[in-house]
Amino acid sequence: MSKKQLSERDICTKFITPALQQAGWDITSQVREEFLLTKGRIIVRGRLHTRAQHKRADYVLFYKPNIPIAVIEVKDNNHIIGAGMQQGLNYAELLQVPFVFSSNGDGFLFHNKIAADGLIERELNLHQFPSAEMLWQEWLAHKGLNTSGQQYALITQDYYSDGSNKVPRYYQLLAINRTIEAIAQGKQRILLVMATGTGKTFTAFQIIWRLWKAKAKKRILFLADRNILVDQTMTNDFKPFGAAMTKIQKRQANKSYEIYLSLYQAVTGTEEERNIYKQFSPDFFDLIVVDECHRGSAAEDSAWRQIPEYFSAATQIGLTATPKETKEVSNIDYFGEPIYTYSLRQGIEDGFLAPYKVVRIDIDKDLSGWRPDKGMVDKYGHEIEDRIYNQRDFDRTLVLEKRTQLVARKITEFLKQTNRFDKTIVFCENIDHAERMRQALVNENADLVTQNAKYVMRITGDSEEGKNELDNFIFPESKYPVIATTSKLMSTGVDAQTCKLIVLDQRIQSMTEFKQIIGRGTRINEDYGKYYFTIIDFKKATELFADSDFDGDPVQIYTPKAGELPVPPEIPDSAMPENDFKYPQLATDFASTGINEGEEGESIRRYVVANIEVSVVAERVQYFDVHGKLITESLKDYTRKMLVHSFASLDDFLRCWNSAAKKQAIIEELANEGIFFDALAEEIGRDCDPFDLICHIAWDKPPLTRRERAEQVRKRNYFTRYGEQARRVLEALLDKYADEGVTQIEETQILAVSPFTQFGTPIEIIRAFGDQDHYQQAVHELEQALYSI
């Protein structure tokens, strides 16, 4: 067979892999074929979703399993040798490796970003492929790293593997390697910024494991601010440390372990004797890792800050999804600039994080304010201060009970229209508000609460019953609780993989807190159908999307009109008003007493008013496409625009469609651009083939159903030129097309199911056409007959 007739994979097998083996590469440990880099952004249309095209490198070469060093992109021999270079450079940029190779099987085009002689690209014969050691030594020299001693042992130390051949994601590898190299070069303060849900704790474990195994760091302290975070870490990611690991508790310091995990509250205190960390000598720990470091260690007077300052000789790593930068507080001031950042936007773009829709609901009293009548008292007999109360006051200094009931009703309406057992977190202003919201949601969902009282629960810091149910809320296998009302407790560190609805009835002006709350929903869990989530915003918190510091756009923003359901429609409105929202300082989370602590620390009474009517003013919508660009047209208009962009004319589309070996390839390519054929068929109201949907939407051709197309073929006596058995098979294929579509009949596996089994085995059926090629030709001609009508 001519090389020109070989597929891309054939070129890899027959030419590229042998060239690597000849150059001394270990195929089992240093060469990974079809290496998945990204999963492809999840695209959401209405209640449907699909994924954009993933990024998969033909080859990624590793010096050691934890050190990627080069990318090879391969094309078939009908392409020139450098045809894959630009694609390979894209992959190399993700992996941040300097060496890229492109090949068509004749040789290699070698791109060397760090070439000492300045010649970045050159052609190589197949037998000239460089060895792993050659590339590695050149890269080490470029980085200024030693090739022997403790530094070299550290940077080449393997990460932990459970034997499953699972490799950390590309950005986790980068974060791990960047950190290890920085420590090897003597850097003492390191900041890693990784969006919630991207595996910060797993990344921290791999960093610690390599440092520990290489004996570069012998005693390590891992600090977190929530007990559940410490317990989850020990049980899950840190489990391989086994007996070398302990949790500091009961204010006892056992110095016989190597890996220590602790709440920062457990090792600090106002009294000197409560400062357990001082039971350790200042040089006891070699490494301190501070998880969620935005929450405390950034402030000079914070409790966390005492610990790293006491162990100042230790290498210290801060982990956060949201680096805090204000006039008063700075992570960078202590840790320095982030050594690596993996943002929420990048995580969504890569398909590792769930995108989200936003439903904005404006309540009349929030917008216009409310003023009591002179001398008016609240339900407890307290005279209400005479002033205008607005959104800033509600549920903090003033409670409108009917407002709480309205919010609970809108949440319930949404769940009734989607799924009443979707895990939901309702963020409230304070503990008192969380309890009142729990009561209102119980009344709105009385039927389900009667079946199980844990359907709605308040999970706040003061509620032992609620905190005891936090694990059940988090675990996908646990049905209850379904709805959790909270204030601050669940805003960070809670790994709620199946949370599909986040409700913001809390005034949020801190970008750090906003990103942390959004992070509760960004995890994907395909086993439980969690691919995206929805935010319902009652307090204009999502105005922070307009802030330049926000790095992850929603796929949709929807504001229903009064009386409309809070579920986004399939066809969006045309625009969204401009934002002129200002960002005052974040308020404090208040206690659940009748007397409320104000922003300046003074005591303020919280008034409770029972009979003031409130109503929804508006609810608005925006869609974002696969590239994060705003869509302001209908789904049909958007589809038409995408099709016209892909095909110059109807004739151009017909040529492409009819020449395609498999129609499924075109359908998948268009789906990756965000075209949802099922949703379009539902909108048009006919059981149409993608072919008809495309022709109808882009070029106004009358659409035929699949069954109408099948009947047209039958009327033409199309099958008379075939023998009896072949004719029966083609008629059955035509029926399958009418029922299930063209992609089903293109696969030979269909011959192994009913009704084809009554015609014989797949091999016997194919023989009725002569051979495999003639069978495929018959199917292709059947498709031409279908689409020539």
Side-chain angles (χ1 to χ4, degrees):
M1 181 181 289
S2 166
K3 188 186 286 190
K4 297 290 185 185
Q5 295 177 291
L6 295 177
S7 68
E8 183 179 297
R9 292 313 307 165
D10 290 334
I11 295 292
C12 291
T13 302
K14 295 178 183 294
F15 297 97
I16 309 306
T17 299
L20 293 173
Q21 291 174 308
Q22 185 182 359
W25 291 82
D26 186 328
I27 299 301
T28 58
S29 65
Q30 293 183 307
V31 178
R32 298 294 297 270
E33 291 191 59
E34 295 191 295
F35 187 82
L36 186 69
L37 292 165
T38 72
K39 296 190 74 173
R41 180 188 175 104
I42 295 174
I43 310 165
V44 181
R45 292 283 182 278
R47 298 184 196 179
L48 301 174
H49 72 274
T50 189
R51 281 191 183 270
Q53 187 64 43
H54 58 245
K55 292 182 179 179
R56 187 189 300 272
D58 289 326
Y59 290 84
V60 174
L61 306 184
F62 291 77
Y63 179 68
K64 295 197 73 178
N66 58 302
I67 305 174
I69 192 171
V71 170
I72 306 175
E73 190 59 30
V74 181
K75 299 298 179 184
D76 65 41
N77 198 248
N78 294 298
H79 292 80
I80 60 173
I81 193 171
M85 180 55 71
Q86 291 188 153
Q87 190 174 351
L89 288 169
N90 182 18
Y91 298 155
E93 184 177 358
L94 284 180
L95 285 167
Q96 296 184 13
V97 297
F99 308 119
V100 185
F101 299 85
S102 173
S103 180
N104 64 355
D106 290 338
F108 296 97
L109 179 63
F110 176 29
H111 181 102
N112 183 352
K113 184 178 179 180
I114 58 173
D117 60 4
L119 186 60
I120 293 179
E121 290 194 356
R122 68 189 75 191
E123 288 194 16
L124 305 174
N125 295 325
L126 287 173
H127 65 274
Q128 291 179 309
F129 197 90
S131 68
E133 198 62 37
M134 288 172 59
L135 296 181
W136 175 240
Q137 292 300 325
E138 184 172 355
W139 201 9
L140 280 180
H142 176 76
K143 290 183 176 186
L145 295 170
N146 295 330
T147 58
S148 61
Q150 179 65 36
Q151 186 186 66
Y152 187 77
L154 176 55
I155 61 177
T156 56
Q157 174 64 49
D158 289 338
Y159 58 74
Y160 172 79
S161 174
D162 60 5
S164 65
N165 207 30
K166 176 185 175 183
V167 178
R169 293 170 176 170
Y170 82 86
Y171 62 85
Q172 294 169 339
L173 278 174
L174 286 175
I176 295 164
N177 290 342
R178 286 276 192 88
T179 304
I180 295 297
E181 288 177 12
I183 292 173
Q185 291 174 319
K187 189 173 176 63
Q188 287 291 90
R189 301 289 181 269
I190 296 167
L191 181 63
L192 280 178
V193 178
M194 296 174 67
T196 300
T198 57
K200 288 193 303 296
T201 310
F202 171 75
T203 301
F205 161 71
Q206 292 288 5
I207 291 168
I208 294 170
W209 178 271
R210 287 178 62 183
L211 292 167
W212 183 58
K213 280 294 184 180
K215 303 188 184 308
K217 306 294 177 184
K218 298 178 182 178
R219 293 195 185 97
I220 295 139
L221 176 63
F222 181 88
L223 289 171
D225 73 327
R226 301 283 172 85
N227 200 55
I228 188 173
L229 297 183
V230 173
D231 292 340
Q232 282 179 352
T233 299
M234 292 186 69
T235 303
N236 300 324
D237 290 323
F238 279 36
K239 187 177 180 179
F241 287 124
M245 173 176 59
T246 188
K247 176 182 177 182
I248 298 176
Q249 52 190 341
K250 298 182 180 178
R251 302 201 172 271
Q252 296 297 315
N254 187 330
K255 301 177 185 177
S256 62
Y257 292 90
E258 296 175 73
I259 312 295
Y260 293 79
L261 290 86
S262 177
L263 296 174
Y264 80 87
Q265 298 96 325
V267 292
T268 60
T270 55
E271 301 175 20
E272 191 67 22
E273 63 270 20
R274 291 174 62 83
N275 287 336
I276 185 175
Y277 67 90
K278 291 188 178 179
Q279 295 181 35
F280 299 97
S281 63
D283 61 353
F284 184 83
F285 291 109
D286 304 307
L287 175 69
I288 297 176
V289 179
V290 184
D291 193 22
E292 306 291 358
C293 67
H294 64 279
R295 294 184 61 82
S297 62
E300 288 188 18
D301 60 350
S302 76
W304 285 23
R305 190 68 170 259
Q306 300 172 31
I307 302 168
E309 287 179 348
Y310 179 76
F311 299 107
S312 59
T315 300
Q316 297 171 14
I317 302 172
L319 305 174
T320 182
T322 50
K324 182 175 287 189
E325 289 301 312
T326 69
K327 291 180 181 179
E328 295 79 21
V329 177
S330 172
N331 299 96
I332 292 174
D333 178 58
Y334 185 78
F335 288 105
E337 292 287 342
I339 197 169
Y340 182 72
T341 297
Y342 189 71
S343 67
L344 172 64
R345 183 190 300 277
Q346 190 63 50
I348 293 174
E349 183 64 30
D350 288 344
F352 295 121
L353 295 180
Y356 49 93
K357 304 176 182 181
V358 176
V359 177
R360 288 179 175 170
I361 299 180
D362 294 331
I363 296 174
D364 59 349
K365 299 299 186 293
D366 289 26
L367 300 182
S368 62
W370 177 78
R371 183 175 181 177
D373 296 332
K374 187 172 183 178
M376 184 178 180
V377 296
D378 72 357
K379 66 182 293 184
Y380 299 114
H382 303 120
E383 184 173 344
I384 304 172
E385 180 186 353
D386 183 14
R387 65 179 180 86
I388 296 176
Y389 295 85
N390 55 32
Q391 190 182 74
R392 191 179 181 86
D393 301 295
F394 294 142
D395 299 303
R396 298 176 61 199
T397 58
L398 178 75
V399 173
L400 297 180
E401 289 190 334
K402 291 201 171 185
R403 185 191 179 283
T404 306
Q405 294 164 11
L406 175 62
V407 170
R409 185 163 64 252
K410 300 301 287 185
I411 295 169
T412 304
E413 284 178 2
F414 182 90
L415 289 172
K416 284 181 176 178
Q417 290 295 314
T418 52
N419 183 348
R420 295 182 75 184
F421 284 91
D422 281 347
K423 293 294 179 80
T424 300
I425 305 176
V426 185
F427 286 96
C428 303
E429 291 286 2
N430 44 59
I431 293 173
D432 173 73
H433 183 201
E435 172 57 24
R436 288 185 290 99
M437 186 61 69
R438 184 198 67 81
Q439 296 171 24
L441 285 164
V442 164
N443 290 330
E444 290 292 334
N445 296 275
D447 56 336
L448 296 181
V449 173
T450 300
Q451 296 175 25
N452 192 312
K454 293 181 180 179
Y455 179 78
V456 184
M457 291 204 72
R458 171 169 60 90
I459 301 179
T460 50
D462 70 324
S463 171
E464 288 302 317
E465 296 81 6
K467 287 190 290 185
N468 289 339
E469 291 297 325
L470 184 54
D471 280 350
N472 286 328
F473 182 84
I474 290 170
F475 294 152
E477 296 84 359
S478 298
K479 188 174 183 178
Y480 299 101
V482 176
I483 304 175
T485 66
T486 190
S487 55
K488 302 293 184 189
L489 182 64
M490 298 176 71
S491 65
T492 184
V494 176
D495 188 10
Q497 296 179 18
T498 56
C499 178
K500 292 186 179 181
L501 178 61
I502 290 176
V503 179
L504 303 178
D505 199 23
Q506 180 184 108
R507 187 173 166 82
I508 304 168
Q509 276 72 58
S510 159
M511 181 58 71
T512 297
E513 186 171 12
F514 180 57
K515 286 183 179 180
Q516 286 291 333
I517 287 176
I518 294 226
R520 298 316 100 211
T522 54
R523 288 168 176 81
I524 294 169
N525 190 314
E526 297 184 6
D527 292 339
Y528 288 82
K530 164 68 183 303
Y531 294 92
Y532 64 93
F533 67 104
T534 302
I535 300 170
I536 300 182
D537 179 17
F538 292 94
K539 289 283 182 80
K540 291 186 178 292
T542 53
E543 298 282 3
L544 287 172
F545 289 141
D547 193 297
S548 59
D549 289 337
F550 191 72
D551 64 0
D553 299 321
V555 297
Q556 180 182 0
I557 302 178
Y558 171 52
T559 304
K561 298 176 183 176
E564 291 183 341
L565 291 172
V567 180
E570 298 298 321
I571 302 176
D573 296 332
S574 60
M576 168 186 167
E578 293 292 327
N579 294 315
D580 58 358
F581 194 72
K582 305 301 179 184
Y583 310 112
Q585 185 66 27
L586 174 65
T588 309
D589 184 22
F590 302 111
S592 58
T593 61
I595 302 297
N596 190 12
E597 183 181 332
E599 289 180 320
E600 302 302 324
E602 76 276 14
S603 294
I604 303 173
R605 180 172 298 281
R606 181 183 295 126
Y607 303 108
V608 181
V609 181
N611 298 313
I612 299 300
E613 296 294 334
V614 296
S615 62
V616 171
V617 175
E619 298 179 46
R620 81 192 156 250
V621 66
Q622 289 182 332
Y623 287 84
F624 290 76
D625 67 13
V626 63
H627 304 295
K629 302 293 185 181
L630 179 64
I631 299 172
T632 57
E633 65 265 69
S634 71
L635 186 58
K636 286 172 67 175
D637 289 341
Y638 171 73
T639 303
R640 183 181 298 112
K641 182 176 72 177
M642 294 302 298
L643 290 170
V644 170
H645 176 75
S646 300
F647 305 103
S649 64
L650 174 59
D651 287 341
D652 183 32
F653 166 70
L654 293 175
R655 278 193 300 272
C656 181
W657 182 267
N658 290 324
S659 64
K662 288 190 175 182
K663 309 300 183 276
Q664 178 67 10
I666 297 177
I667 294 169
E668 287 181 355
E669 184 176 344
L670 292 173
N672 288 334
E673 293 296 325
I675 295 176
F676 284 77
F677 293 106
D678 290 343
L680 291 166
E682 184 177 339
E683 189 169 315
I684 292 172
R686 307 202 77 198
D687 188 17
C688 291
D689 189 282
F691 174 87
D692 283 279
L693 292 172
I694 291 169
C695 293
H696 173 66
I697 290 170
W699 295 286
D700 296 321
K701 299 300 178 184
L704 296 177
T705 65
R706 290 195 301 268
R707 193 155 297 281
E708 286 170 341
R709 284 198 171 275
E711 289 304 317
Q712 291 279 15
V713 173
R714 284 195 176 91
K715 290 176 181 178
R716 296 172 58 197
N717 295 319
Y718 172 76
F719 305 113
T720 54
R721 58 186 169 135
Y722 291 97
E724 182 179 354
Q725 186 178 11
R727 177 178 54 77
R728 291 168 62 201
V729 171
L730 289 171
E731 287 177 343
L733 286 173
L734 198 59
D735 288 335
K736 279 290 184 183
Y737 164 80
D739 291 335
E740 300 178 33
V742 69
T743 59
Q744 298 298 317
I745 70 173
E746 290 184 329
E747 302 297 332
T748 54
Q749 292 93 323
I750 199 172
L751 300 180
V753 302
S754 179
F756 301 97
T757 50
Q758 63 184 294
F759 306 142
T761 66
I763 293 176
E764 290 170 338
I765 292 172
I766 288 172
R767 282 177 185 161
F769 293 85
D771 56 25
Q772 177 79 21
D773 289 341
H774 284 89
Y775 170 76
Q776 294 290 359
Q777 180 64 24
V779 173
H780 185 67
E781 290 175 356
L782 175 60
E783 291 178 348
Q784 288 181 321
L786 280 166
Y787 298 118
S788 66
I789 305 300

